[in-house]
C-alpha cells in the first residue's frame, strides 16, 4: 500500500462522526432529516440525494444508505418507496 493511500485511510478514520458515519454520510443524514421535515415526513428519492451530494450515479447513494442503516443512523421501511426514517440518538 502506498503512503498516500495509507494517509487517506487514516484521514477518513479521523473524520468519523457520531455513530461512525463519514462526513459525507453525515451530510446525507442532515439532508434526509431536513427534507423530511420540509415535506411532512416524506424522505427524498435516491435521485434527489444523488443531486444534493453532486454524485454521478445512484449506486454511491445506495452504498451510503446501506452503511448508514448498518450503523443505526437510519431505518428503511420494507416494501415502501421513499421510506427512510432517521433514528434520533439520545445524547447524554
Amino acid at each position: 500500500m502506498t503512503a498516500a493511500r495509507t494517509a487517506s485511510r487514516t484521514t477518513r478514520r479521523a473524520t468519523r462522526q457520531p455513530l461512525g458515519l463519514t462526513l459525507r454520510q453525515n451530510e446525507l443524514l442532515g439532508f434526509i432529516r431536513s427534507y423530511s421535515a420540509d415535506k411532512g415526513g416524506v424522505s427524498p428519492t435516491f435521485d434527489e440525494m444523488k443531486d444534493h451530494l453532486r454524485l454521478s450515479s445512484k449506486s454511491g447513494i445506495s452504498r451510503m444508505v446501506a452503511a448508514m442503516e448498518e450503523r443505526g443512523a437510519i431505518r428503511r421501511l420494507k416494501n415502501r418507496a421513499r421510506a427512510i426514517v432517521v433514528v434520533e440518538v439520545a445524547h447524554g
Side-chain angles (χ1 to χ4, degrees), residues 9-41:
R9 286 176 184 240
T10 303
T11 302
R12 272 188 264 154
R13 275 191 220 112
T15 59
R16 292 280 178 177
Q17 301 294 307
L19 298 174
L21 299 179
T22 65
L23 289 173
R24 294 288 277 181
Q25 290 167 346
N26 202 40
E27 180 182 352
L28 181 57
L29 182 64
F31 174 68
I32 293 169
R33 184 180 283 127
S34 65
Y35 185 99
S36 295
D38 291 346
K39 304 289 184 178

Side-chain angles (χ1 to χ4, degrees), residues 38-50:
D38 291 346
K39 304 289 184 178
V42 176
S43 58
T45 64
F46 276 32
D47 275 324
E48 290 166 330
M49 290 184 248
K50 174 185 71 81

Side-chain angles (χ1 to χ4, degrees), residues 71-82:
R71 289 175 177 86
I74 62 171
R75 272 186 314 126
R76 295 175 72 187
L77 305 177
K78 302 292 184 207
N79 302 319
R80 293 192 53 205
R82 298 174 74 137

